[in-house]
Amino acid sequence: MNFLRGVMGGPSAGPQPSGAETIQKLCDRVASSTLLDDRRDAVRALKSLSKKYRLEVGIQAMEHLVRVLQTDRSDSEIIGYALDTLYNVISNDLEEEEQEENSPKQVDDLGSQFTEIFIKQQENVTLLLTLVEEFDFHVRWPGVKLLTSLLKQQGPQVQQIILVSPMGVSRLMDLLADSREVIRNDGVLLLQQLTKSNAAIQKIVAFENAFERLLDIITEEGNSDGGIVVEDCLLLLQNLLKNNNSNQNFFKEGSYIQRMKPWFEVGDDNCGWSAQKVTNLHLMLQLVRVLVSPTNPPGATSSCQKAMFHCGLLQQLCTILMATGVPADILTETINTVSEVIRGCQMNQDYFASVNAPSNPPRPAIVVLLMSMVNERQPFVLRCAVLYCFQCFLYKNQKGQGEIVSTLLPSTIDATGNSVSAGQLLCGGLFSTDSLSNWCAAVALAHALQENATLKEQLLRVQLATSIGNPPVSLLQQCTNILSQGSKVQTRVGLLMLLCTWLSNCSIAVTHFLHNPANIPFLTGQIAENLGEEEQLVQGLCALLLGISIYYNDNSLENYRKEKLKQLIEKRIGRENFIEKLGFISKHELYSRAAQKPQPSFSSPDHMMFDHEFTKLVKELEGVISKAIYKSSEEDKKEEEVKKTLEQHDNIVTHYKKVIREQDQELEELKQQVNTLKSQNEQLQTTVTQQVSQIQQHKDQYNLLKVQLGKDNQHHNSHSDTVQMNGIQVEEVSKLKEELEEWKNKHELLQGQLREKDSLIEKLKPSQLETGTEQSSQASKSSGLEHSELQKELEMLRTQIQLQSAEITKLQAENQKLQVMNTSADPALGDSSATAAKNLELEGRLVQEVKELKNEVKALSEEKASLKQHLDSSNSTVAILQDEKSKLQQEVAESKKEQDDLLVLLADQDQKLSALKNKLKDLGVPVEDEDDIESGDQADEDEDGDEEEQD
């Protein structure tokens, strides 16, 4: 019957064991069984009971499971069951799922309690780290999940244990390189928990090449089009970079900013954005903002801003900004991101000013954004983002401030009215019926005047046409008129902030403000009244404006001198009451919120009251105005005198600073000149040494030639060297023959000229006889003169011919003598007297030859110097080429060494792969050989090639 009941599913006879008893039996079995199979079955049973009986399994089995992890490392199956059981006990994820199914809620937080028990022994976490190193999927994956759960429950304690364990973080970094996506993705989640709020671990993870691996994963998954894995990687990158200056610098220096540009290439077709893509792009924009956050050190932020401009990231963001079809939240975050990329960076601000929207006609991006800001139909968050963008564009940008204010001045306003300028939009928003537009326009205009006294003075020239027929009113007057009309609190707060910014540190603007007799009574009336809490903020700002009018008053108006205004406050308001009302500003809750960060972030439009830069102005002026109110006239005079002396001292200091700068520049120039002269001196010294050595060489050569010449003379005096002399005489005879021919040619030319003159004389004689009686005297004179000149020329030619003929005869005689000597030298030496005369002639000729040789030596030395210069230049080029050759050889050697190392690593990997394949084959797992895989890949490539050809 019991058998039938068991088969049919009926209740069995006898009492059933409770869950706690079953777990106790299983734990005893795990502790006492000697067979591995029995222990494995017991652990498997504990795993199946761990979800339902979490508390019992955690209390009774945790110690036994840890012992299994320590002793049964060789069996991956039992290790996997033990890790899964511990995960079910420690993790709260399963408990949350049960709570959603309306199951009873656990009173105590079991996960954190069991985690505390587990990590009490630090060896347990170290053991878990070693198990995570195992390649077996059934061990590694549960180990990663368990470690992630431990970090969720007791993050700081587990982080500290991992940090002090040897190579703890490095072991976990290997998870990102796992080829199995499940383990890699859970490894990213593990590193997210590990890097939370721990700068030391963040630095170790970053320097373990985390940026490279995470960016590779994001690229592989498709950038912004990827799935939740991209989201997890971006969250991990935010953990590593946020508030960590070291990692931010490492990220920038590693050129990882350039790899962020493809993230924002969203394409022209912006329809159909998935929720995951919106999330991914949102996180990507936040990551850019982390790098250029205003809370970062200014130097780090500036370098990141420049890198984003040079790599084209800012241009890509501006493209998204001006694109159509972008979701509203992405557009808002893009505006905020562009704001912080350009904030305080002149180069980026100039680029942003040049961006145009793709409209017809094209409008500047700033104008398009301001149109959205003053449009009350736009979302509130978007309008706040545009205001922040405008503030960042004007931050420390005097050029941009001047361009915005210039669009309001009368000389630059477009008379045709075709294009809307930024100034016109700001004025339109300032005086519209929407209080939020009034506040935004007032704050934006105040930022255009921030720390710029010249623009504050220029803005006083702006005239507004209020209505037809009425005279134009100044912008300052119009602001005070609207203020006195009693509009909404938000509008009045915005206008008062604008006026305080405008009048601060500008005495001319204060004079213009005081020139209107209605302004001071209005301010004193507002401050003196006892109004509700909403109006207290307006009263405080009125007190600040009145205090600015006193502190920056130059006493140019007699009725509104400092002393009179103080007396007015004393009579109508009271000093203590005035200071109390002034303190309403800094005590306000919205003031403290606005002072925290530059970005205007408000939960609702009603909370939009204060601007971040204005809070700085209040801090600066509140104490100063309080002191100025209590000062007497004598103290004011003394203070003015001190100010004047300080200004004089400042002028003197600036003058001396200018002189010192000029002297520094002159010193730098002189240093450069000294350096150049030193280099020139060194070059000249080297050239002098070279020339001295060359001269010495030439002297040595000259001495050698002298010695050789003395030897040659001795040889000529002796009779034994006559045959050599004859050789020389033959050459001289040939030279003399050539000279003789030249003289004969000259003689023939002179003979021809002489004949021409004779013929001319013969012609002149009959012409002289045929002339008439009237011109006989003149003709005879002229012909006589000509005849005398011709006679002189003829005599000169004859003397020249005689001299030349004498020389020719002399040369002919010498030639004959030399020929006779030449013929007589072969059979016999001749008599001693002939040889003596011959030697004398030869000595004379040798002297001439020595002179010629000296000239040749001089020419050769010059050629040698030029050749040496050429040789030096060629030697320098050869040295440069040899250096380049050695560098190339070194690079080739290094590349060969790297190739050898890679071959060794590949061989090791092949051995490991073959060993793993053999293990898998032994375990019965089918494994494909490399040949099969290659053949399959080849077939796939062939199919792809066929498809491409068909396309």
Side-chain angles (χ1 to χ4, degrees):
M1 292 295 292
N2 290 334
F3 175 75
L4 288 172
R5 283 196 190 97
V7 173
M8 299 301 292
S12 61
Q16 289 289 329
S18 64
E21 292 174 354
T22 307
I23 291 164
Q24 182 63 46
K25 289 179 182 178
L26 290 171
C27 290
D28 294 339
R29 190 175 167 190
V30 171
S32 60
S33 295
T34 56
L35 291 175
L36 180 61
D37 293 337
D38 292 342
R39 293 199 301 275
R40 188 189 302 123
D41 293 338
V43 175
R44 186 191 293 117
L46 286 170
K47 175 191 170 186
S48 62
L49 293 170
S50 61
K51 293 182 181 179
K52 188 174 182 181
Y53 300 100
R54 180 183 177 193
L55 179 63
E56 290 80 2
V57 173
I59 293 170
Q60 298 181 33
M62 184 176 287
E63 186 179 350
H64 300 293
L65 292 170
V66 171
R67 193 175 295 111
V68 167
L69 295 178
Q70 292 171 348
T71 57
D72 294 329
R73 291 280 300 276
S74 59
D75 187 61
S76 61
E77 193 172 355
I78 191 171
I79 296 292
Y81 292 147
L83 290 170
D84 282 332
T85 307
L86 288 170
Y87 173 72
N88 292 338
V89 169
I90 289 171
S91 176
N92 281 333
D93 297 339
L94 301 170
E95 184 182 332
E96 290 169 2
E97 290 176 5
E98 289 175 359
Q99 288 173 14
E100 289 174 3
E101 295 171 2
N102 298 322
S103 64
K105 183 180 179 182
Q106 293 285 347
V107 178
D108 298 324
D109 187 8
L110 293 177
S112 62
Q113 291 176 7
F114 284 132
T115 302
E116 194 172 348
I117 294 167
F118 184 82
I119 66 172
K120 193 174 287 184
Q121 299 293 327
Q122 294 189 6
E123 297 82 7
N124 295 342
V125 180
T126 309
L127 175 64
L128 195 54
L129 289 172
T130 57
L131 291 172
V132 168
E133 277 190 294
E134 295 289 335
F135 186 74
D136 195 328
F137 181 81
H138 297 290
V139 177
R140 198 172 204 183
W141 188 39
V144 170
K145 291 195 295 181
L146 177 57
L147 197 54
T148 307
S149 184
L150 291 172
L151 284 162
K152 282 182 181 178
Q153 303 298 334
Q154 297 286 341
Q157 292 87 340
V158 180
Q159 284 174 344
Q160 197 60 33
I161 295 169
I162 293 172
L163 192 60
V164 298
S165 65
M167 299 292 290
V169 180
S170 301
R171 293 175 187 175
L172 299 178
M173 282 300 300
D174 294 336
L175 297 171
L176 295 180
D178 201 306
S179 58
R180 295 160 294 194
E181 289 190 3
V182 178
I183 294 176
R184 184 199 68 184
N185 298 343
D186 281 351
V188 174
L189 295 174
L190 169 60
L191 290 171
Q192 273 185 34
Q193 299 298 326
L194 181 66
T195 54
K196 273 185 179 178
S197 306
N198 194 310
I201 293 177
Q202 288 168 3
K203 289 178 184 178
I204 295 170
V205 171
F207 283 97
E208 286 284 344
N209 208 17
F211 294 137
E212 184 77 30
R213 294 182 186 180
L214 291 171
L215 291 171
D216 288 340
I217 293 170
I218 292 170
T219 306
E220 289 169 9
E221 295 291 326
N223 294 329
S224 60
D225 294 321
I228 197 168
V229 181
V230 174
E231 180 183 348
D232 293 335
C233 290
L234 291 168
L235 288 169
L236 177 54
L237 284 170
Q238 280 194 20
N239 283 355
L240 295 174
L241 291 171
K242 197 168 187 179
N243 300 324
N244 194 318
N245 300 328
S246 173
N247 282 2
Q248 288 174 8
N249 188 43
F250 180 66
F251 191 84
K252 179 185 70 69
E253 295 295 334
S255 300
Y256 296 119
I257 291 176
Q258 287 81 339
R259 295 187 61 179
M260 296 170 74
K261 185 191 172 187
W263 295 356
F264 304 102
E265 293 174 357
V266 294
D268 298 329
D269 187 14
N270 293 325
C271 59
W273 288 58
S274 64
Q276 187 61 55
K277 182 174 181 178
V278 171
T279 305
N280 290 344
L281 205 56
H282 203 273
L283 289 170
M284 289 170 177
L285 290 166
Q286 285 182 352
L287 193 64
V288 175
R289 292 184 66 185
V290 165
L291 294 170
V292 292
S293 173
T295 57
N296 294 344
T301 302
S302 176
S303 58
C304 288
Q305 288 172 333
K306 290 174 183 175
M308 288 175 185
F309 175 77
H310 290 303
C311 75
L313 181 59
L314 175 60
Q315 293 84 332
Q316 201 67 44
L317 291 172
C318 290
T319 304
I320 297 175
L321 196 67
M322 294 291 109
T324 55
V326 180
D329 52 347
I330 293 295
L331 183 61
T332 304
E333 191 64 24
T334 305
I335 294 170
N336 288 326
T337 307
V338 170
S339 306
E340 293 183 353
V341 172
I342 66 173
R343 187 176 189 270
C345 182
Q346 188 66 50
M347 178 172 58
N348 293 2
Q349 289 166 340
D350 291 343
Y351 171 76
F352 185 69
S354 66
V355 174
N356 287 324
S359 58
N360 191 15
R363 288 176 176 170
I366 297 169
V367 173
V368 176
L369 291 173
L370 287 176
M371 290 171 74
S372 302
M373 187 184 75
V374 297
N375 186 356
E376 55 185 308
R377 289 191 295 272
Q378 293 292 339
F380 171 66
V381 184
L382 180 65
R383 297 173 76 180
C384 290
V386 173
L387 176 62
Y388 184 46
C389 185
F390 191 73
Q391 290 174 353
C392 292
F393 170 68
L394 297 177
Y395 183 70
K396 292 183 179 180
N397 183 12
Q398 292 191 353
K399 180 182 175 185
Q401 288 176 328
E403 289 172 355
I404 296 297
V405 172
S406 66
T407 58
L408 286 164
L409 298 177
S411 58
T412 57
I413 293 175
D414 188 7
T416 59
N418 292 329
S419 62
V420 181
S421 65
Q424 290 170 339
L425 286 169
L426 290 176
C427 281
L430 196 62
F431 307 123
S432 71
T433 55
D434 180 29
S435 61
L436 186 60
S437 297
N438 301 151
W439 190 91
C440 291
V443 170
L445 201 55
H447 275 263
L449 304 174
Q450 201 81 37
E451 297 178 0
N452 200 324
T454 56
L455 292 181
K456 291 176 183 179
E457 294 175 10
Q458 287 186 10
L459 201 65
L460 296 169
R461 296 165 47 205
V462 177
Q463 299 289 321
L464 301 174
T466 54
S467 59
I468 299 170
N470 292 330
V473 181
S474 68
L475 178 61
L476 184 67
Q477 183 64 41
Q478 185 65 15
C479 290
T480 54
N481 291 343
I482 294 172
L483 198 61
S484 60
Q485 289 170 7
S487 52
K488 291 182 181 178
V489 174
Q490 193 175 35
T491 302
R492 284 182 285 161
V493 168
L495 289 169
L496 284 167
M497 285 196 296
L498 172 60
L499 290 171
C500 289
T501 308
W502 193 348
L503 268 60
S504 64
N505 205 15
C506 184
S507 301
I508 299 172
V510 170
T511 305
H512 277 73
F513 179 76
L514 296 174
H515 199 270
N516 185 357
N519 288 338
I520 296 300
F522 168 74
L523 291 178
T524 53
Q526 287 285 317
I527 299 166
E529 289 181 8
N530 292 320
L531 303 172
E533 290 184 3
E534 291 183 357
E535 295 293 330
Q536 284 183 353
L537 191 57
V538 177
Q539 285 183 322
L541 291 169
C542 288
L544 179 67
L545 184 59
L546 185 56
I548 290 169
S549 302
I550 294 170
Y551 185 72
Y552 292 105
N553 192 347
D554 59 355
N555 295 325
S556 58
L557 294 175
E558 186 63 31
N559 294 331
Y560 296 103
R561 296 174 65 83
K562 284 185 179 181
E563 192 59 33
K564 290 187 177 181
L565 290 174
K566 288 179 188 178
Q567 292 172 2
L568 186 66
I569 291 172
E570 180 67 27
K571 288 178 183 178
R572 295 195 179 180
I573 304 168
R575 291 179 181 176
E576 289 78 9
N577 190 22
F578 179 84
I579 299 299
E580 183 185 356
K581 297 289 175 72
L582 185 63
F584 284 163
I585 302 172
S586 56
K587 291 176 184 176
H588 203 279
E589 181 186 358
L590 298 175
Y591 174 88
S592 58
R593 283 187 196 174
Q596 291 174 1
K597 57 180 182 178
Q599 183 182 359
S601 56
F602 305 100
S603 56
S604 67
D606 296 333
H607 294 163
M608 211 168 185
M609 288 293 174
F610 284 108
D611 173 55
H612 178 75
E613 292 296 326
F614 181 73
T615 59
K616 293 181 182 178
L617 183 68
V618 172
K619 285 179 187 176
E620 181 185 343
L621 293 177
E622 189 175 6
V624 174
I625 290 170
S626 300
K627 289 179 183 178
I629 295 298
Y630 283 101
K631 282 181 183 176
S632 62
S633 59
E634 295 177 357
E635 290 176 347
D636 283 338
K637 288 178 181 178
K638 288 180 181 178
E639 188 176 349
E640 286 178 2
E641 290 176 359
V642 169
K643 278 185 179 179
K644 287 179 181 178
T645 53
L646 285 173
E647 285 178 0
Q648 290 175 357
H649 285 302
D650 289 339
N651 292 330
I652 294 167
V653 169
T654 52
H655 172 68
Y656 280 117
K657 281 182 180 178
K658 187 178 179 181
V659 171
I660 289 166
R661 284 196 207 97
E662 291 175 355
Q663 289 177 351
D664 287 337
Q665 290 178 356
E666 290 177 0
L667 279 172
E668 288 295 326
E669 290 175 358
L670 291 171
K671 282 179 181 178
Q672 290 177 358
Q673 289 179 4
V674 167
N675 291 328
T676 52
L677 289 171
K678 279 183 179 178
S679 61
Q680 289 177 1
N681 188 19
E682 289 174 357
Q683 291 176 358
L684 290 171
Q685 283 180 353
T686 53
T687 52
V688 165
T689 52
Q690 290 174 359
Q691 288 176 356
V692 167
S693 62
Q694 288 176 2
I695 289 166
Q696 189 61 38
Q697 289 176 0
H698 291 152
K699 282 182 178 179
D700 295 339
Q701 291 174 359
Y702 178 70
N703 292 328
L704 286 171
L705 287 170
K706 260 186 165 183
V707 172
Q708 288 177 0
L709 186 61
K711 290 179 180 178
D712 291 338
N713 287 332
Q714 290 176 4
H715 287 302
H716 285 305
N717 291 329
S718 65
H719 297 285
S720 60
D721 295 331
T722 320
V723 179
Q724 293 180 359
M725 292 295 180
N726 288 332
I728 295 167
Q729 288 169 3
V730 171
E731 293 176 358
E732 290 178 356
V733 167
S734 62
K735 287 181 182 178
L736 288 170
K737 283 182 179 180
E738 289 176 358
E739 289 178 0
L740 186 62
E741 290 295 328
E742 288 177 0
W743 285 115
K744 281 182 179 180
N745 293 331
K746 288 180 181 178
H747 181 69
E748 289 176 357
L749 284 169
L750 291 170
Q751 288 286 351
Q753 290 177 2
L754 186 60
R755 289 193 204 95
E756 288 177 359
K757 297 290 182 183
D758 288 337
S759 62
L760 199 141
I761 289 164
E762 292 296 329
K763 286 178 183 178
L764 286 169
K765 284 179 180 178
S767 63
Q768 188 177 6
L769 295 170
E770 290 175 358
T771 50
T773 55
E774 294 178 358
Q775 298 175 351
S776 61
S777 60
Q778 294 178 358
S780 62
K781 286 179 184 178
S782 61
S783 61
L785 288 169
E786 287 177 359
H787 184 69
S788 62
E789 287 176 359
L790 288 169
Q791 286 289 340
K792 287 178 182 177
E793 287 181 2
L794 185 62
E795 289 297 327
M796 287 172 67
L797 288 168
R798 281 177 180 167
T799 53
Q800 286 179 3
I801 288 165
Q802 287 175 1
L803 290 170
Q804 287 177 357
S805 60
E807 286 180 1
I808 288 165
T809 52
K810 186 178 178 183
L811 289 168
Q812 283 176 351
E814 287 179 358
N815 190 15
Q816 287 175 1
K817 286 179 183 179
L818 287 170
Q819 284 177 355
V820 171
M821 286 164 63
N822 192 14
T823 52
S824 62
D826 290 330
L829 293 172
D831 56 349
S832 61
S833 62
T835 54
K838 213 185 292 180
N839 285 333
L840 289 171
E841 291 177 1
L842 287 171
E843 283 178 2
R845 293 183 181 280
L846 281 170
V847 170
Q848 291 180 355
E849 285 183 1
V850 166
K851 288 181 181 178
E852 292 174 358
L853 282 170
K854 284 182 180 179
N855 293 328
E856 288 178 1
V857 165
K858 190 175 180 181
L860 287 169
S861 64
E862 291 175 356
E863 288 181 4
K864 184 180 177 184
S866 62
L867 286 169
K868 192 163 185 182
Q869 289 179 355
H870 184 67
L871 182 64
D872 291 336
S873 62
S874 61
N875 284 333
S876 63
T877 53
V878 166
I880 292 165
L881 291 170
Q882 283 178 350
D883 291 337
E884 290 179 356
K885 182 182 175 184
S886 62
K887 287 180 183 176
L888 289 171
Q889 285 176 349
Q890 188 176 357
E891 289 177 0
V892 168
E894 289 176 357
S895 62
K896 282 182 180 178
K897 187 179 177 182
E898 288 177 359
Q899 287 176 359
D900 293 338
D901 294 339
L902 287 171
L903 287 171
V904 172
L905 287 172
L906 285 172
D908 293 338
Q909 290 293 327
D910 289 336
Q911 289 177 1
K912 288 181 183 178
L913 284 172
S914 62
L916 290 170
K917 284 179 182 177
N918 291 330
K919 281 185 182 179
L920 291 171
K921 286 178 181 177
D922 294 339
L923 292 170
V925 179
V927 179
E928 292 183 357
D929 293 331
E930 290 182 357
D931 296 334
D932 298 336
I933 294 168
E934 288 177 0
S935 62
D937 293 340
Q938 186 65 36
D940 293 338
E941 289 176 2
D942 295 339
E943 289 176 3
D944 294 337
D946 295 338
E947 289 176 0
E948 289 176 359
E949 288 175 0
Q950 289 174 5
D951 293 338

